[in-house]
Amino acid sequence: MSTFNITRFGQALKCQFIVSRKDWYRVFAIYIIVLSFVNIFITRKAAFNGLSYDDALQKFGEATMASNYSMLLQSVVVFDVIFFCLAMLFGACLLFWHLKKTPQRSAYFLWPVSNLEKYIVCLVHNVLLVAVGTILSILIADAIRVLVDVMDGRVMMWSVSLVAEIFNVEKNLSLFLFSLFTVCLYIQSLFILGGSLFRKQHIILTSVSVMLYFVVLFKVVEWVVVWFGMEDKSISIVNNGEVTNALLYWSFIIGCWALVVIHYWLSYKFFTRMQVINNKWLNV
């Protein structure tokens, strides 16, 4: 059997989605309900100088209320961004959630598909599908909030249009997005690795392991700074959207991407060594 065949991969991707589609529908339905409730709650709990929305509208006028409501919706955007990040980490932890039980693993390993194709199928579902589904859930929840606002006589304003204002990235958008994407991808790769290693309690064990990892990492960095006597020196890599130390910046970026590749490679190796009957906690 060849390592990768596009036709076989497409059939496996379709088959796994058909098998798990009800679970995905349920997850994204919960996302929409939670996002809609929080979005509406945030906009409804606010008091404008102690006045209700209607009273404030009569007192300050539409222009002022539109500006104030725009600031209020920034809180909605912040929550949506945080929710998206958590959803991506949630999907990474559950990379092999469908292989939790022995009968599921036994049936899955009998598929006439190579290990690489199976692994990429899992990545597509738990990374790309989660990303697309979460974004659609955010847009649907925002549409529901707008509909409620219109029915309630409030100003019609989409919160997703305020993302750029939240991050204030007009100076160097490409640098900001690239740096943010690199850091997020690195953190997600850690959760991918944890989701591949632990067979039970994926979320709890992976989250605890990642937090311990960063605690140790920060302690090591702190020790290095003290050891080399750099605690009194100001080291700036990025300032006002511009790279001030190209060597440190690109060393950091290349290091993150190298570790991402290593984490994914280890994750794939853990998957290829998965047995029908595993250790109670680990994939061994």
Side-chain angles (χ1 to χ4, degrees), residues 179-280:
S179 303
L180 180 63
F181 176 76
T182 299
V183 173
C184 292
L185 185 64
Y186 171 70
I187 296 175
Q188 188 195 41
S189 70
L190 288 172
F191 280 82
I192 288 284
L193 181 60
S196 305
L197 177 62
F198 300 112
R199 294 271 58 79
K200 293 185 178 181
Q201 305 298 332
H202 309 74
I203 299 176
I204 296 177
L205 292 177
T206 301
S207 300
V208 171
S209 299
V210 171
M211 286 188 292
L212 290 176
Y213 166 78
F214 277 110
V215 169
V216 173
L217 179 62
F218 290 145
K219 288 297 181 180
V220 171
V221 172
E222 182 181 0
W223 177 82
V224 171
V225 170
V226 174
W227 178 266
F228 287 97
M230 297 184 298
E231 63 271 20
D232 296 328
K233 297 179 181 179
S234 177
I235 301 177
S236 177
I237 300 178
V238 178
N239 185 26
N240 293 327
E242 299 292 340
V243 176
T244 57
N245 193 320
L247 178 60
L248 284 179
Y249 175 78
W250 288 110
S251 297
F252 171 77
I253 294 296
I254 293 174
C256 285
W257 280 91
L259 289 174
V260 167
V261 173
I262 293 173
H263 293 160
Y264 273 85
W265 178 79
L266 289 174
S267 172
Y268 174 70
K269 288 301 180 182
F270 284 136
F271 172 71
T272 57
R273 285 164 174 73
M274 188 185 302
Q275 304 295 324
V276 174
I277 300 178
N278 284 321
N279 178 275
K280 182 178 180 181

Side-chain angles (χ1 to χ4, degrees), residues 14-243:
K14 177 182 177 181
C15 182
Q16 183 161 324
F17 177 76
I18 292 175
V19 171
S20 59
R21 67 185 185 280
K22 292 183 179 179
D23 293 322
W24 288 119
Y25 294 157
R26 189 179 302 112
V27 168
F28 293 135
I30 294 174
Y31 283 4
I32 294 173
I33 293 173
V34 171
L35 287 165
S36 300
F37 174 80
V38 173
N39 291 356
I40 294 174
F41 176 78
I42 290 176
T43 55
R44 289 304 181 277
K45 73 177 181 62
F48 302 91
N49 291 341
L51 302 175
S52 66
Y53 182 88
D54 293 334
D55 293 337
L57 180 63
Q58 295 179 359
K59 182 177 181 179
F60 301 110
E62 293 185 3
T64 301
M65 287 303 298
S67 176
N68 292 338
Y69 206 63
S70 175
M71 296 178 61
L72 178 62
L73 291 181
Q74 291 181 4
S75 300
V76 174
V77 176
V78 171
F79 174 81
D80 291 345
V81 171
I82 295 175
F83 185 91
F84 175 81
C85 295
L86 294 177
M88 294 301 296
L89 298 182
F90 174 76
C93 288
L94 301 180
L95 185 63
F96 302 120
W97 63 276
H98 57 292
L99 303 178
K100 185 176 181 179
K101 298 181 180 179
T102 300
Q104 295 173 324
R105 290 194 295 272
S106 179
Y108 193 71
F109 291 154
L110 291 176
W111 281 20
V113 183
S114 68
N115 286 330
L116 180 60
E117 291 164 346
K118 292 177 184 177
Y119 182 74
I120 296 177
V121 166
C122 293
L123 284 180
V124 170
H125 277 80
N126 286 67
V127 177
L128 294 182
L129 181 59
V130 168
V132 173
T134 305
I135 292 175
L136 289 177
S137 300
I138 291 174
L139 295 176
I140 293 173
D142 197 39
I144 293 175
R145 180 197 56 77
V146 170
L147 179 62
V148 172
D149 284 346
V150 172
M151 294 174 60
D152 201 24
R154 296 196 175 193
V155 61
M156 180 177 177
M157 186 176 297
W158 296 87
S159 63
V160 293
S161 62
L162 304 176
V163 174
E165 296 181 16
I166 293 295
F167 293 108
N168 192 23
V169 295
E170 64 276 0
K171 276 199 170 183
N172 198 329
L173 177 61
S174 59
L175 176 65
F176 173 82
L177 292 179
F178 178 69
S179 303
L180 180 63
F181 176 76
T182 299
V183 173
C184 292
L185 185 64
Y186 171 70
I187 296 175
Q188 188 195 41
S189 70
L190 288 172
F191 280 82
I192 288 284
L193 181 60
S196 305
L197 177 62
F198 300 112
R199 294 271 58 79
K200 293 185 178 181
Q201 305 298 332
H202 309 74
I203 299 176
I204 296 177
L205 292 177
T206 301
S207 300
V208 171
S209 299
V210 171
M211 286 188 292
L212 290 176
Y213 166 78
F214 277 110
V215 169
V216 173
L217 179 62
F218 290 145
K219 288 297 181 180
V220 171
V221 172
E222 182 181 0
W223 177 82
V224 171
V225 170
V226 174
W227 178 266
F228 287 97
M230 297 184 298
E231 63 271 20
D232 296 328
K233 297 179 181 179
S234 177
I235 301 177
S236 177
I237 300 178
V238 178
N239 185 26
N240 293 327
E242 299 292 340
V243 176

